[in-house]
Amino acid sequence: MSTKTNLTLDIVIFTALLAVANPSLTGNTVHEWLGIALAGAIVTHLLLHWDWIVSVGKAFFKKLFHQSRLNFVVNTLFFIAMTGSLFSGLLISKDVMSALGIQLNVGGGWESLHHLTSDASVILLGVHTALHWKWIVNSIGRYIVNPVSNLFRRPAPRVLAVQPVRIDEEK
């Protein structure tokens, strides 16, 4: 997978998670459907990084660079929190489940769990972003800032190449 594809998917996921974390911004219906779409984007992200997940998972208790181990733990907690948020969100859904013709009668504990796992997801997103900050800044600079700034640069003045003419004095 290219860095540009990874960056694009990460920006979409980051933006969607911030939007879905604020239901008053989107309204409940968009909040619920965006949550489901976000789950699909996260599954895509996991599949694109599957080789890393497997290799770090296998080497977790062996000699492993501490940054990779920390990333693995944070990412695992993030996945658990997001899964809990999605599952509990579906159980307390007012719009998505009724649109699918499903009526659930669940207790208020699921709503509390949804808020807890959603808040944990936002916090873990912040930690995940901080751990990858150098890559984020470098990638945004390379694929967004530089191309945009190149659009506004004046082209260098064209210099005509002139070949010196040798004048032979003997004729």
Side-chain angles (χ1 to χ4, degrees):
M1 167 184 50
S2 75
T3 302
K4 192 183 293 188
T5 301
N6 193 23
L7 178 65
T8 302
L9 182 60
D10 287 353
I11 289 171
V12 168
I13 290 172
F14 182 83
T15 305
L17 199 136
L18 291 181
V20 81
N22 190 358
S24 61
L25 175 71
T26 61
N28 194 63
T29 303
V30 172
H31 168 78
E32 291 182 14
W33 286 108
L34 185 58
I36 291 171
L38 180 61
I42 290 171
V43 167
T44 301
H45 181 83
L46 291 173
L47 291 174
L48 291 173
H49 291 87
W50 191 250
D51 290 340
W52 181 88
I53 293 167
V54 170
S55 67
V56 174
K58 284 181 179 178
F60 188 80
F61 293 107
K62 297 178 184 174
K63 203 172 193 176
L64 182 68
F65 183 59
H66 70 281
Q67 181 77 22
S68 295
R69 187 176 287 124
L70 179 60
N71 277 329
F72 191 83
V73 169
V74 169
N75 292 344
T76 301
L77 292 172
F78 191 25
F79 177 75
I80 291 167
M82 288 297 299
T83 302
S85 181
L86 176 67
F87 182 71
S88 59
L90 286 172
L91 290 176
I92 64 171
S93 170
K94 295 178 178 89
D95 299 318
V96 168
M97 296 306 252
S98 62
L100 298 174
I102 301 170
Q103 296 294 2
L104 298 174
N105 245 347
V106 294
W110 287 106
E111 190 168 335
S112 296
L113 181 65
H114 183 67
H115 289 293
L116 177 69
T117 55
S118 297
D119 291 345
S121 295
V122 172
I123 291 167
L124 289 165
L125 173 65
V127 175
H128 179 82
T129 301
L131 289 173
H132 293 85
W133 189 248
K134 185 176 179 179
W135 178 84
I136 293 166
V137 169
N138 289 337
S139 297
I140 287 175
R142 181 176 180 191
Y143 294 108
I144 297 173
V145 175
N146 288 344
V148 170
S149 66
N150 287 340
L151 292 174
F152 298 104
R153 281 199 181 120
R154 289 185 179 197
R158 297 178 93 190
V159 178
L160 297 175
V162 178
Q163 295 291 330
V165 178
R166 184 175 171 185
I167 302 174
D168 289 332
E169 294 183 11
E170 295 179 27
K171 276 196 179 185

